[in-house]
Amino acid sequence: MIHPRSCRRRRSLRIRVRAPLAVLFILCFALALDGAGLVRVSLLCAVLHESGHVLMFRWQWGCWPDLQISPGGVCLRLRGVPLTPQREFLLAAAGPLCNLLASCAVLGGMELTGACSYLGYWFASVNLLVGGMNLLPLPGLDGARMLRAFRYW
C-alpha cells in the first residue's frame, strides 16, 4: 500500500472553510427560515454522506483526509493521493452507500419497533435523495467519478 508523505505527517482530520462569512451567512439564513426542519435533516444527511467518504479514505490509506467546506458544499481534498480506478470507485461509492444504509436502518428500525414517525420517513427520504442525487453522472458528483473509474478499470 502506498502512503503519501502527507499521510505520515498528519494524523488528525483537517477541516478548511473556504469563504467562511458566506458559509455562515447561508447557514444562518437557511436555518432561520427552516420551519419544517428540512435544512437540519439535509445537513445531517450530508454529514453522513461525507462521513462515508472519510471512513473509506481512512480505511484505504490509513490516515484522515482534508475536508473543505465552501458555499457549494463539502468535499474531500485529495491532492497528492494516488488513486487507482478501483480505489476511486470505492471512495466515490462510499458516500451514497452510507446514505442508503442510513435510510434502510431507519426504515427497518421503524418497521421492527412499530414506532413510525414523520421525522423517520423524512430522514429516510432525504437520505435517499442525497445519495441518489450524488449518483448522477454530472461533473463534481460521485456518479461522474464512479463512471470515470469504471471506464478506466
Side-chain angles (χ1 to χ4, degrees):
M1 180 184 299
I2 299 173
H3 290 286
R5 288 185 183 143
S6 61
C7 282
R8 288 187 212 138
R9 281 182 282 166
R10 259 186 297 121
R11 299 203 186 278
S12 63
L13 179 72
R14 269 191 359 193
I15 300 175
R16 296 179 186 170
V17 181
R18 199 168 164 190
L21 290 177
V23 170
L24 186 62
F25 176 75
I26 291 169
L27 276 176
C28 288
F29 186 73
L31 289 172
L33 297 177
D34 185 30
L38 180 63
V39 172
R40 289 172 278 191
V41 172
S42 299
L43 284 173
L44 178 60
C45 294
V47 167
L48 284 173
H49 179 89
E50 290 304 322
S51 297
H53 291 306
V54 167
L55 291 174
M56 180 60 72
F57 187 94
R58 172 77 176 168
W59 179 70
Q60 286 184 347
W61 284 280
C63 64
W64 296 106
D66 290 342
L67 284 177
Q68 180 176 324
I69 300 173
S70 67
V74 180
C75 66
L76 289 176
R77 304 303 301 163
L78 299 175
R79 294 182 189 156
V81 176
L83 283 176
T84 63
Q86 295 85 1
R87 284 186 167 190
E88 184 173 8
F89 185 85
L90 288 174
L91 187 62
L97 180 64
C98 189
N99 288 121
L100 177 66
L101 291 176
S103 180
C104 290
V106 167
L107 290 174
M110 287 192 311
E111 183 70 30
L112 285 175
T113 61
C116 298
S117 68
Y118 286 116
L119 181 61
Y121 286 119
W122 195 258
F123 179 76
S125 300
V126 173
N127 258 313
L128 288 176
L129 285 173
V130 168
M133 184 198 66
N134 273 284
L135 285 175
L136 292 174
L138 299 173
L141 296 179
D142 296 330
R145 292 180 59 209
M146 291 169 65
L147 187 63
R148 183 178 62 235
F150 190 68
R151 191 173 51 203
Y152 292 117
W153 198 318

